[in-house]
Amino acid sequence: MDKKSEIALERRRSAPQPEESSSPAPTATATLEAPPPTPAAPLGDGWWMYHGGPQHGGYVSDSDITAANAAQLQTLYTIQLGGPVLSVPAVTDGFVYVGVANYHDTQDGTGNGGALHKIELASGTIVATFSWNLGQDNEDIHSFTGMGTTPAVTSDRVYFGAFNGKFYCLDKETLNLVWSTDLRNPDTKHNQPVSNINGVAAGYPPAVMWSSPVFNADGSRLYVGCGEGENPQMYSFVFCLDAASGDVVWIYCTNLFCTNDVNAPNVLPEQAVPVIPPPAPFSIFKGEPIVMGCSVWGSIAYDAESDRIYCPTGNQQPEPDGNWQPGQPVKPELPSPGFSNGLLSLDAATGQFHAFFQVPPDSNYRDSDFDIDVGSSPVIFDDAGQKAVAIPCKNGSLFILDPDTLTLRRTRQLLPKMNDGTQIPTVDPHPVDSNLDPHVSNDVSNATPGENYSGAFNTPAFYPGSDDNPQTISPRIFVALGGPNYHSPSPGIDYETTPFMRAVDAATLDDAWPLDGGDPPKYTKPFIHDDANGIYAGMYQTAGESGLSSPAVVNDVVVCTTSKISIYAFDVRDGTLLWHDDMGMQTDGYNGGYGYCLGAAVCKNYVVAGALVFGRDGGVLRIYGLPTPQASA
């Protein structure tokens, strides 16, 4: 739970809690035979969905951008969107498709809504906008009302989920509404029986979608998570929708029903289904799950060869209360119950459970870390001829998993330690009673249960390597570090020791960039420190600057954005800083500022990124490109 959530929930502690009930077996088993899919339009190209494709590799090779010319990138357009951007844009067929989190130009003038813009790359012109009002409906726990997902753009449609609990399908050319399916309230027209509104009247946050949609191989079906990990009364679900109609094909509840068994698809908690019996193929579980929370708030990844989806899961509810003392044999309420803090694998056709991996407590930076949910999306990649899944965690570790069993192949803690293996006091500090004193010793942090704000909150990028002469470049994984920058215990990372992006060899997880031999060691190339001209940019240069973002790789260049609201291009070989730009200013805040750029999209010779910034309607979109002539996107 982040600090804003913590503050908000502190005001809700007096809200009535649901009565506990037993957990008998489900009253019926779900139908596992998948209905025939509706034929779909061809899928998109370019950066057509989150992280470039269903496997979320974040790698682009059909571009002229390389380490040799990245320094020539220039700002082509700076565009006001009427609100902040809390997602990575989609870029395809000459247009940018980007959502706004709080749209100011709603029809009623309240700004209580959202929008999706279509922007021409060649001119920077907004050519179409689809917007919606919330009216009296609830905003999300961070006071966002629009959307925070990357749309998926096929040959004729645009798909995305929003903070109002609705999933939208628009016409690609006009952005006119084709269909929408309500995933928060029952939507009988689309075979959606779930009412996921528990606790909202008592002040807890509503079910929303932070999960960007992903498609199966033929584009006939899409997958998205909807829930709210900070509401202890709310359920969490993975939905499979028919891409042509918006009808629900199957639903999987990520709140485990029985300790000694896994959930079956299409079995729904009785309290979440107002009309019983529900329509086919759904059945009812009579009782309460053993744990709430476990929301899928990262984007789901899809593997066509196995026809499986991989769903990252967040923290359980109720959250750990830190009732733990050093020296006890068990970590602070970890391992956690149910499908929490991990990665869930399901059959894409039927929703049948396949495997689950939970973040092991011994991978934490500190034994006292207990809030270690997974906000990243998994990356499916080639691991020396074998398929693998990479997933990082808020606790600072990166995990490489077997895609079939989700068993652990190898792992590394990415947050720095001293050369003798001891922790660094300023990394992942746990002050007592939210003390703002930044000087917290290792002894105090290790004896004070708390959340790790310093780890990885977003999706890695995979570079497949190159055998091109004169230098062979090994496959490598790039993981942004540092999380948000507004928490009182840890307002940003310890920039003097911690890089805002770690570059590791995919085979060994050792650092892929040269280190300086210091204590702790730091990268030698990814910064500019020019005292004569007062230029300081890149890693280790700006207090608190963190990587709450998803890096992207184009040829031999890796692009990373940060909480400074800056964008950087580095050489994948050694980390040399090639180019950078400041997109805007952070908002004011008692911890020094608040701002986001959650990552860039790369399509042909364009780099596109949106941000939450101070002024400018709270948001900005920038289109960067190589000097003309440019290849069309």
Side-chain angles (χ1 to χ4, degrees):
M1 180 173 65
D2 64 34
K3 191 59 183 177
K4 291 186 73 179
S5 303
E6 190 176 310
I7 293 171
L9 287 181
E10 189 62 33
R11 298 195 298 265
R12 304 173 179 137
R13 299 299 184 188
S14 60
Q17 301 295 313
E19 295 182 1
E20 295 184 0
S21 62
S22 59
S23 299
T27 58
T29 58
T31 301
L32 298 184
E33 181 180 354
T38 303
L43 297 178
D45 58 9
W47 198 277
W48 66 279
M49 65 167 299
Y50 179 70
H51 228 40
Q55 294 189 328
H56 299 331
Y59 175 69
V60 173
S61 59
D62 60 343
S63 170
D64 294 327
I65 299 172
T66 68
N69 62 19
Q72 300 175 38
L73 285 168
Q74 56 190 4
T75 301
L76 303 179
Y77 303 104
T78 299
I79 307 163
Q80 309 301 122
L81 300 177
V85 177
L86 285 180
S87 60
V88 182
V91 187
T92 181
D93 295 332
F95 294 93
V96 180
Y97 298 83
V98 61
V100 176
N102 291 72
Y103 188 52
H104 300 306
D105 297 329
T106 51
Q107 294 175 358
D108 60 4
T110 64
N112 190 36
L116 182 122
H117 297 296
K118 178 181 178 180
I119 301 166
E120 187 178 48
L121 273 170
S123 65
T125 303
I126 299 176
V127 297
T129 296
F130 174 80
S131 65
W132 62 95
N133 296 338
L134 265 71
Q136 301 301 311
D137 205 352
N138 300 79
E139 58 195 18
D140 109 304
I141 194 170
H142 303 276
S143 300
F144 296 130
T145 62
M147 60 180 286
T149 66
T150 299
V153 185
T154 67
S155 64
D156 62 351
R157 297 287 185 260
V158 181
Y159 300 85
F160 66 93
F163 295 144
N164 60 1
K166 292 184 174 64
F167 191 90
Y168 293 95
C169 172
L170 311 181
D171 180 85
K172 179 183 177 183
E173 296 304 316
T174 64
L175 295 193
N176 291 334
L177 181 66
V178 177
W179 55 258
S180 70
T181 301
D182 196 330
L183 300 183
R184 180 190 294 171
N185 302 287
D187 188 340
T188 56
K189 178 182 177 181
H190 293 292
N191 199 41
Q192 202 293 88
V194 167
S195 176
N196 202 14
I197 59 174
N198 285 1
V200 175
Y204 289 98
V208 299
M209 275 170 277
W210 283 96
S211 175
S212 300
V214 67
F215 281 82
N216 68 347
D218 66 5
S220 62
R221 290 175 177 164
L222 61 88
Y223 310 89
V224 65
C226 184
E228 174 49 65
E230 308 298 352
N231 184 335
Q233 300 182 24
M234 186 165 288
Y235 305 96
S236 295
F237 301 96
V238 174
F239 291 88
C240 171
L241 304 182
D242 183 284
S245 65
D247 294 347
V248 172
V249 179
W250 57 255
I251 302 173
Y252 193 90
C253 182
T254 60
N255 307 110
L256 188 63
F257 297 146
C258 304
T259 303
N260 298 321
D261 199 1
V262 298
N263 293 356
N266 298 324
V267 179
L268 307 175
E270 183 178 30
Q271 294 81 358
V273 182
V275 178
I276 297 177
F282 306 109
S283 60
I284 295 300
F285 170 73
K286 290 184 175 293
E288 283 293 321
I290 65 170
V291 65
M292 304 296 276
C294 308
S295 181
V296 176
W297 56 290
S299 181
I300 297 166
Y302 171 77
D303 177 59
E305 184 179 11
S306 62
D307 197 33
R308 289 182 193 149
I309 60 172
Y310 297 87
C311 314
T313 59
N315 52 272
Q316 73 279 20
Q317 285 287 349
E319 284 192 281
D321 60 9
N323 185 20
W324 168 82
Q325 295 297 322
Q328 291 183 347
V330 180
K331 309 295 187 199
E333 301 191 34
L334 297 173
S336 53
F339 299 128
S340 58
N341 304 315
L343 187 65
L344 178 66
S345 174
L346 304 174
D347 182 89
T350 65
Q352 179 72 39
F353 172 89
H354 193 78
F356 178 67
F357 167 81
Q358 187 173 80
V359 173
D362 59 8
S363 67
N364 291 348
Y365 189 81
R366 300 185 185 277
D367 285 349
S368 53
D369 290 334
F370 68 80
D371 190 330
I372 57 168
D373 47 331
V374 178
S376 166
S377 300
V379 173
I380 303 168
F381 71 101
D382 181 84
D383 185 20
Q386 292 184 308
K387 192 173 293 183
V389 179
I391 187 83
C393 176
K394 272 171 49 177
N395 74 353
S397 286
L398 172 66
F399 306 97
I400 309 299
L401 309 176
D402 180 275
D404 184 44
T405 62
L406 294 188
T407 53
L408 183 63
R409 287 184 182 171
R410 55 190 177 277
T411 184
R412 180 189 168 182
Q413 173 57 246
L414 301 178
L415 295 175
K417 294 184 179 180
M418 306 301 289
N419 289 336
D420 63 2
T422 58
Q423 299 147 329
I424 301 173
T426 47
V427 175
D428 186 24
H430 293 189
V432 178
D433 298 327
S434 298
N435 188 342
L436 296 182
D437 184 356
H439 302 288
V440 182
S441 69
N442 279 328
D443 288 342
V444 171
S445 288
N446 291 330
T448 308
E451 183 170 0
N452 188 334
Y453 298 110
S454 305
F457 284 64
N458 228 314
T459 305
F462 174 69
Y463 172 70
S466 172
D467 292 328
D468 295 342
N469 291 324
Q471 181 182 4
T472 297
I473 311 171
S474 64
R476 39 200 66 179
I477 299 172
F478 299 93
V479 185
L481 293 174
N485 63 326
Y486 53 76
H487 304 289
S488 58
S490 182
I493 56 177
D494 177 30
Y495 76 105
E496 294 180 309
T497 66
T498 309
F500 57 66
M501 183 179 70
R502 182 74 74 177
V504 297
D505 184 277
T508 65
L509 301 189
D510 293 335
D511 283 286
W513 291 350
L515 300 166
D516 62 6
D519 191 11
K522 298 191 291 186
Y523 295 136
T524 61
K525 300 281 189 178
F527 59 86
I528 298 171
H529 191 102
D530 186 346
D531 289 325
N533 296 301
I535 300 174
Y536 311 98
M539 298 180 189
Y540 316 116
Q541 300 303 301
T542 303
E545 184 176 15
S546 61
L548 182 69
S549 61
S550 301
V553 181
V554 48
N555 293 315
D556 56 354
V557 177
V558 56
V559 179
C560 185
T561 61
T562 68
S563 62
K564 186 188 173 189
I565 323 176
S566 296
I567 182 170
Y568 301 91
F570 304 98
D571 192 317
V572 300
R573 297 167 181 81
D574 59 9
T576 296
L577 178 58
L578 305 169
W579 168 83
H580 66 95
D581 183 53
D582 294 330
M583 298 179 63
M585 293 176 57
Q586 295 179 346
T587 64
D588 293 331
Y590 70 93
N591 278 329
Y594 180 83
Y596 292 128
C597 179
L598 294 183
V602 182
C603 185
K604 301 296 175 64
N605 293 351
Y606 294 94
V607 178
V608 183
L612 182 158
V613 298
F614 179 75
R616 295 180 176 174
D617 291 331
V620 67
L621 182 86
R622 278 205 174 153
I623 300 174
Y624 303 97
L626 293 174
T628 55
Q630 298 174 19
S632 61

